[in-house]
Amino acid sequence: MVVIPGDGIGPEIVEQTLRVLEAAQKGAAFSLDLEFHSAGAGEHRRTGRALSEETFEACKRANAVLKGPVGDPAVRAPDGTEAGVLGGILRTGLDAYANVRPIRLYPGVASALSGLAPGAIDYVVMRENTEGLYASRGRGFVSPEATLDFMLMTRRGVERIARKAFELARTRQGAPKDGVRRVTCVDKANVLRGFAYFRQIFLEVAKGYPDIQPECRHADATAASLVQDPGRFDVLVTENFLGDLLSDLGGGTIGGLGMCPSGNLGDERAYFEPVHGSAPDIAGQDRANPIAMVLSAAMMLHWLGEAAAASRIQEAASRALSAGAIRLFPDGTVRDGTVAAGRAISGEL
Ligand code: IPM
Ligand code: MN
């Protein structure tokens, strides 16, 4: 596997994650072969490119990639966008079209929403990763007087992300509130024809999954429901930009983005990273919550066929939180430090 430590808090949370992976391998029948590569804003500053050809080839060859957060607001392209981020390059480059973002309230974590038991929030945002509004990344039209970005929806793109969402729903226990296996298509079909197209194809794909309840909702109202009634959601499938927004909203209800892992899955390749950014403001202070990174590694093991080890890591993190060995501040940083959090999880293993 390829490991990209990343920028800002990346190296410190990746270090704790490798500690956890090491503990997970003890006595297990698999072993991970690590190949470290530099990519991101630091790499861009040094070489003028965020991702070298060599690292990209290594990612393509690897069975899986574990990537820390990257980016630095100071490293910018001439058009004003960030030059040190990799989302566009890796997601399209590896054709990792499904961005799987589980949103789950763990025991011992205080939600910003009141009166919720652990497990009362447990849904997955299935974000389309290679088209939508972000297909316009670096390709929009820019003049001194105006700019124009576009939103791409293709039949192939919508079909494959919709199928992934229904397949995922089949492996889950349904929404926490009513146990119904449900896939919610989130769009603005009332306003934009691209979203109407997305919805239409979603409903066509849904016919192939009679065991799963399909529903369609507008993104603005869904944002409100994710706050007011999150327990009714199971799997949400949505366009790239909306998925970017709604998954962070979800993170805000489960203890912050430091609790949000993700997988970028293609049919052949995949890479795993926390949903959050590189948080340069708290880098090197032993404050970053490593759990999103650790849970991303667990998702990676699942992808690699080591589902038992993946569950063991997830349960170890859950126990460390519920026992109070990892405690979060309201801002999402860890009270007792990043290193102590990593030790607590590997200790549980
Ligand atoms: C994410 C990030 C990225 C994205 C950025 C940093 C390119 O926000 O992974 O959610 O826009 O997708
Ligand atoms: Mn984001």
Side-chain angles (χ1 to χ4, degrees), residues 41-312:
E43 176 74 9
H44 191 280
R45 206 183 274 115
R46 280 189 299 277
T47 68
R49 292 181 72 185
L51 185 75
S52 69
E53 203 58 48
E54 185 208 335
T55 300
F56 179 58
E57 288 303 322
C59 291
K60 283 211 293 207
R61 273 196 314 270
N63 296 109
V65 179
L66 187 64
K67 173 191 157 294
V70 296
D72 180 337
V75 178
R76 298 217 173 246
D79 66 3
T81 60
E82 263 195 59
V85 294
L86 300 175
I89 321 175
L90 277 180
R91 289 167 187 170
T92 51
L94 301 178
D95 200 24
Y97 61 88
N99 193 178
V100 182
R101 299 187 151 188
I103 302 291
R104 178 169 172 212
L105 182 59
Y106 276 81
V109 178
S111 174
L113 310 178
S114 58
L116 290 176
I121 303 177
D122 189 346
Y123 58 84
V124 178
V125 177
M126 181 70 75
R127 164 185 175 188
E128 201 295 318
N129 227 3
T130 54
E131 43 188 54
L133 186 57
Y134 289 172
S136 187
R137 199 187 305 239
R139 299 196 188 98
F141 302 100
V142 180
S143 85
E145 304 310 324
T147 61
L148 179 65
D149 281 303
F150 59 85
M151 183 171 72
L152 172 72
M153 306 286 194
T154 68
R155 171 165 288 278
R156 170 176 174 264
V158 183
E159 277 179 1
R160 66 182 184 173
I161 195 69
R163 276 199 302 270
K164 263 273 197 271
F166 284 104
E167 297 292 343
L168 176 66
R170 279 191 170 158
T171 69
R172 292 172 45 86
Q173 303 311 311
K177 195 170 167 179
D178 55 14
V180 174
R181 291 198 165 115
R182 178 181 288 127
V183 178
T184 307
C185 172
V186 184
D187 58 47
K188 284 293 288 181
N190 51 339
V191 181
L192 293 178
R193 56 173 65 151
F195 284 122
Y197 182 74
F198 190 100
R199 180 180 283 208
Q200 175 205 320
I201 294 171
F202 165 80
L203 289 171
E204 284 171 28
V205 171
K207 293 201 186 99
Y209 299 85
D211 48 323
I212 311 288
Q213 183 185 93
E215 68 168 358
C216 299
R217 291 168 66 102
H218 295 142
D220 44 0
T222 302
S225 299
L226 289 174
V227 171
Q228 293 185 305
D229 194 13
R232 66 175 302 294
F233 292 100
D234 179 13
V235 176
L236 300 91
V237 63
T238 191
E239 176 271 336
N240 205 338
F241 175 57
L242 290 181
D244 190 12
L245 299 190
L246 294 177
S247 52
D248 275 27
L249 186 155
T253 66
I254 57 162
L257 297 183
M259 295 300 301
C260 302
S262 79
N264 298 275
L265 316 184
D267 290 328
E268 269 129 54
R269 300 190 175 88
Y271 76 96
F272 299 82
E273 61 180 350
V275 168
H276 59 74
S278 60
D281 53 324
I282 59 161
Q285 297 172 25
D286 197 32
R287 291 171 60 199
N289 180 359
I291 292 179
M293 189 78 233
V294 168
L295 295 177
S296 301
M299 290 178 76
M300 179 191 75
L301 290 183
H302 198 275
W303 159 269
L304 290 171
E306 301 297 339
S311 313
R312 281 198 291 125

